[in-house]
Amino acid sequence: MMRKILAVAFKELYVTFRDRNLVLLMFATPLVLSTIIGMAFGGSGDSEVPDFADIAVAVVNLDEGADLQEMINLPDQLPNPDTFPIDAAALFPPLPDGVALNFGDQLAAILLSQPVEGAGTGAIGGFDPTEIGCSLLDESESGGAAAAPLGSLDDLLDATAMDSADQARAAVDSGEFAAAVIIPPGFSSQVAPQFAFDDDFIIRAQAPGEGGIVEVYASSGRPISARIVHSIVVGMVNQFVRVGVAFGATLETSANALAGGIARGEIELGAVDLSALSADLQELDATALEPLGCLITPGANNISAAQRPLEAIQEGHPFARVIVPAGAAQAVFFALFTGVFGIQSIYQERRNWTLQRMIVSPTPRIFLLAGKLLGNLVIVFLQILILLAALTLVASLVIGQPTLVWGGNIAAVLVVTLALSLCATGLGVFLVGLAKTPEQVNLFGPMVNISLAVLGGTFGFALPEQAARFSLIYWGVDAFTQLANAQTDFTLNLIVLFGQGVLLFLVGAWLFKRRLDL
Amino acid sequence: MQTMVETRNLRKTYSRPDGSTIEAVKGVNLEIQQGEIFSLLGPNGAGKTTTISMISGLVEPTEGDATIGGFSITKQSMEAKRLMGFVPQEIALYPELSARQNLAFFGRMYGMGGKALRRRVDELLEFVDLADRQNDRIDTFSGGMKRRVNIAAGLLNSPPLVYMDEPTVGIDPQNRRRVLDTVKLLRDEHNMTVLYTTHLMEEAQELSDRVAIMDHGEIIAMGTQDELTQQVGEEDRLEFTIGAQEIAEAVFERIQGETPGVTRILFNPPEQLDEDSSVFAPALLTVFAKRGRTALPQILQELDSAGVEIQSVAVREPDLEAVFLALTGRALRD
Ligand SMILES: Nc1ncnc2c1ncn2[C@@H]1O[C@H](COP(=O)(O)OP(=O)(O)O)[C@@H](O)[C@H]1O
Ligand SMILES: [Mg+2]
């Protein structure tokens, strides 16, 4: 029986590749497109100096910082098991006035490619983030050449500091900048957790306030540049938020342990060496801040942390960083069309009665569909691979040396491509099964494909991730981006893609059975 | 003799997109014996293709069933399908593949492969006389050559039974001759059973052991050609083609009343052949008469005195056309 499926699949391939126009449409168009992408991003293709860099960005930092005192929100009184009240201030060593964390300064410094100062403005014990090392750095390599950034933000952005948000926006409008990054006054307070004691004197993190959202004011005339800036900023802000949460969690636990101990009388206050305790506490904070240390260590080549946005920024050539998501999205987008219109050929087979000839042979209809699926799956597979190869070539030319932009794990690239091909072809079977006429496929096929592309961020604007997850393009691009960053955490992506493909095929086949009554 | 195909009350109702329904086949009962050429004769739209589609497992009957060599086409379709070959009305071939590739592909659909398939393809290419063009793409073939490959593709599995749905449509007389000879060869030398559909009386007449005449989804007559023609009696048929002209009913009455042997008169007014052309089939006056040649002079005289302009006259012995006319009152026109 498998032989019949293979016969149909092979015939499908053969017929497709005999049709020159179809081959041209399927392979040449994406190739031309990827070359255009390459030229647009890579300048003249001169391998010496990729003039891809230098997206003009204005950086406005209005961050007022977060006061540590306020962050911790000490109550006036701590619960007192005995009679004597404890002055809260006596419990914790008083922080020097004006000690504040300013994450905005750091973000601005990174964007401006300036040396990064510590987040704290005053030196307080172990709390100076500039002294925090990055344990994720491979020590053996950190001193050597590998520590040098493969590509720093400097290659990518031509950032200018500005003082006023309005001024910056006006400059973007006038075309001077592709985008303005405006760090709001409340950025640090947003990132840094706020604490308060509840009625039981348990310390709790507070929901962050509003008003701390970093704005990327983009020029509509330069959507691609603006998108790059946007994705960089989003990546970095996420990083700060991650640090803030980790920091908050540690602080919360340790402070609660301390307060709880005192409250239950397990810790006798007189015996507590407060200064040592607070030093301990601050050690913990330092651990929490480690990821931040990675973020601000130039060239940190951390490969193991699950911090994709960070890696995307710090690894690889800037051109590769852009061509991976953009190219993968384009590849899948094209694959969707091949999938739908490849399966649609069943209508043509019905019109010229070759379908009927197959049906009157002793071959179950599901085998005919499976053969069609398989044949088109191979076509889509080849199409995506050719596109990936073409993009690799373009990227290598732009970068000036052979670069595997999709990462070195060829087997994994093939598996992801296969999953995507199955999904795209399964979608084809589903759509063709759902439609009543070929005209409906012509109408709905592109509509569905374009919707998926919009959801998946193919056209240069990203939708919220919750929405993007509905698109197989999201899952595919995500997996390819991970591969490009030498990550392999895409099991879920594979499950989603394979599962969706099989499901769509089965539902499509069921719908089809009803339509195959000729 | 063994029964090869048997249908019981086959019925097919199609629903149209506008919600209306059409009864394409209204309860057909057939019995086709092993080794015979059985023709389904009927005008376009009679339901021939729909009938063939149901008994080949292509279309599910709305009602009824058919057995092929004893296997139900609805319940044991794989077994039934192994016994049949199918030559559809359309050229069901991949234009971008060669003749050989087409045959090899459809052979694989019958589970054939390897040397056996290669040998069978060679045999069939020889049979339809296209061995020298076997590696050329189908879209470079003439209509007649395509028809021949189309037939070969229906014989790949060396079936004991083959359906041929109007296999001569759109080909030149030379190729038509070839196809008809091929069909006879299948029966005479390969001992095959053939179900042949056509709207051409001459083809059914030349080929058939038995004929079923179909009209509006129903079998209106069935039997050997002799049995069928006996239904219209021993009458000859006198056909007069007439220009666009009104003829008074009285003229017909007079002919019928006063000419010895005349039993019946039918008049088919001029018919537009093509919807958007001005080509008309001429009006056709048919007179059924015993001893037609004797009656002819008197009828001609009557028509002449009534001022009817006669374009041609033909005297036909009893044939299938006469049966169709007698049963439907219409001519079996192309
Ligand atoms: N798939 C279909 N849907 C609706 N009507 C159909 C379909 N197939 C055939 N018909 C109608 O059924 C009738 C019989 O058609 P068909 O079997 O093709 O006749 P024939 O082969 O004798 O010319 C025609 O009126 C035709 O329009
Ligand atoms: Mg027909």
Side-chain angles (χ1 to χ4, degrees), chain B residues 44-45 48-50 89 165-166 197:
Chain B
N44 284 327
K48 305 181 297 292
T49 298
T50 306
Q89 192 170 346
D165 196 3
E166 310 219 25
T197 81

Side-chain angles (χ1 to χ4, degrees), chain B residues 7-32:
Chain B
T7 77
R8 281 184 301 273
N9 194 27
L10 270 186
R11 199 176 283 278
K12 183 70 194 180
T13 309
Y14 286 115
S15 39
R16 293 238 167 92
D18 62 10
S20 68
T21 59
I22 169 162
E23 259 197 299
V25 174
K26 310 169 180 167
V28 161
N29 292 288
L30 288 178
E31 231 178 80
I32 302 173

Side-chain angles (χ1 to χ4, degrees), chain A residues 130-488:
Chain A
T130 48
E131 290 173 11
I132 297 165
C134 181
S135 60
L136 295 170
L137 259 185
D138 188 335
E139 295 297 334
S140 64
E141 288 185 356
S142 60
L150 282 171
S152 75
L153 271 184
D154 206 10
D155 292 341
L156 195 58
L157 302 181
D158 179 12
T160 310
M162 294 187 85
D163 292 330
S164 139
D166 289 338
Q167 203 185 330
R169 290 193 193 97
V172 170
D173 289 338
S174 76
E176 194 180 336
F177 297 106
V181 180
I182 299 157
I183 305 166
F187 180 60
S188 288
S189 336
Q190 166 92 6
V191 170
Q194 302 284 309
F195 294 98
F197 287 87
D198 65 12
D199 294 342
D200 296 325
F201 290 95
I202 307 290
I203 195 166
R204 296 227 186 264
Q206 303 282 291
E210 298 289 318
I213 312 287
V214 177
E215 175 186 354
V216 177
Y217 185 81
S219 156
S220 56
R222 285 141 90 178
I224 296 167
S225 297
R227 177 159 189 231
I228 295 169
V229 174
H230 182 260
S231 66
I232 290 171
V233 171
V234 167
M236 288 198 290
V237 169
N238 282 344
Q239 211 50 39
F240 280 103
V241 170
R242 208 192 301 271
V243 167
V245 171
F247 178 47
T250 319
L251 196 60
E252 195 179 64
T253 335
S254 42
N256 275 334
L258 183 66
I262 297 167
R264 289 190 300 275
E266 288 160 11
I267 300 173
E268 204 188 316
L269 266 183
V272 174
D273 180 350
L274 282 181
S275 55
L277 239 178
S278 66
D280 279 352
L281 194 58
Q282 282 153 9
E283 279 300 307
L284 282 171
D285 302 341
T287 326
L289 280 176
E290 258 185 15
L292 190 57
C294 287
L295 179 71
I296 60 184
T297 307
N301 200 6
N302 55 335
I303 43 164
S304 61
Q307 295 159 2
R308 186 155 43 81
L310 176 63
E311 286 198 1
I313 290 162
Q314 292 194 334
E315 274 193 10
H317 188 277
F319 180 70
R321 293 199 297 260
V322 176
I323 204 163
V324 163
Q330 289 295 334
V332 183
F333 184 51
F334 275 102
L336 284 179
F337 281 90
T338 309
V340 172
F341 289 109
I343 300 293
Q344 197 198 14
S345 68
I346 206 158
Y347 280 113
Q348 195 188 334
E349 291 217 37
R350 184 166 128 177
R351 212 173 318 122
N352 65 22
W353 275 69
T354 46
L355 177 67
Q356 285 89 328
R357 212 193 255 290
M358 286 192 269
I359 290 175
V360 296
S361 76
T363 311
R365 294 175 195 210
I366 185 87
F367 287 12
L368 302 178
L369 268 181
K372 263 218 165 322
L373 178 91
L374 187 62
N376 281 287
L377 187 140
V378 173
I379 293 166
V380 172
F381 184 76
L382 291 176
Q383 190 191 14
I384 297 181
L385 280 190
I386 287 180
L387 246 164
L388 297 186
L391 289 168
T392 306
L393 190 71
V394 170
S396 296
L397 285 174
V398 169
I399 293 169
Q401 65 185 49
T403 310
L404 290 174
V405 283
W406 309 101
N409 192 345
I410 306 294
V413 170
L414 293 181
V415 171
V416 170
T417 306
L418 185 67
L420 271 171
S421 312
L422 179 72
C423 206
T425 323
L427 181 69
V429 174
F430 175 73
L431 285 179
V432 175
L434 198 63
K436 288 203 175 86
T437 61
E439 290 71 33
Q440 285 189 353
V441 181
N442 287 337
L443 183 68
F444 294 128
M447 264 169 61
V448 170
N449 291 351
I450 290 169
S451 306
L452 287 173
V454 168
L455 278 177
T458 309
F459 300 130
F461 51 95
L463 291 178
E465 198 173 292
Q466 293 93 316
R469 277 167 184 273
F470 283 103
S471 172
L472 64 127
I473 293 183
Y474 164 85
W475 295 101
V477 171
D478 183 64
F480 277 127
T481 313
Q482 289 197 35
L483 282 171
N485 293 322
Q487 291 173 320
T488 48

